[in-house]
Amino acid sequence: MKKIVAATFSLFLALTIQAKDFVISGKIKGGAKQKIFLALQRGGEATPVDSTVIDEKENFKFVLKEGYKQGFYRIYISPENTAAIIVGKEE
């Protein structure tokens, strides 16, 4: 019998603006070495815009370069393990 271990999607998220880039970084408990995706959500469809591998210390980082689209984004490891964020500029 194959034992399946599911990582707890416990997300600590930090959003910072550096110059004109937008950084999304965080820590996922139990997520080391897993691939994580960032997708722009429009209506019922999510369009992947980036992916990375969570490091050994369970940290990840996405950098949206200048000209990124404002809107509703999803960060996910799998369809069951997802977090939503809204990216926009304060005026």
Side-chain angles (χ1 to χ4, degrees), residues 25-36 52-61 77:
S25 62
K27 183 173 190 127
I28 298 184
K29 190 174 184 180
K33 299 184 181 179
Q34 293 187 58
K35 193 166 189 177
I36 186 167
T52 190
V53 175
I54 301 166
D55 69 18
E56 299 81 24
K57 294 182 180 178
E58 302 178 332
N59 298 305
F60 70 91
K61 180 176 173 181
I77 294 174

Side-chain angles (χ1 to χ4, degrees), residues 49-81:
V49 294
D50 202 358
S51 67
T52 190
V53 175
I54 301 166
D55 69 18
E56 299 81 24
K57 294 182 180 178
E58 302 178 332
N59 298 305
F60 70 91
K61 180 176 173 181
F62 294 107
V63 178
L64 298 174
K65 295 294 181 186
E66 182 178 356
Y68 64 87
K69 292 185 180 183
Q70 297 181 50
F72 187 69
Y73 285 82
R74 289 206 177 274
I75 298 172
Y76 63 94
I77 294 174
S78 69
E80 299 81 29
N81 295 318

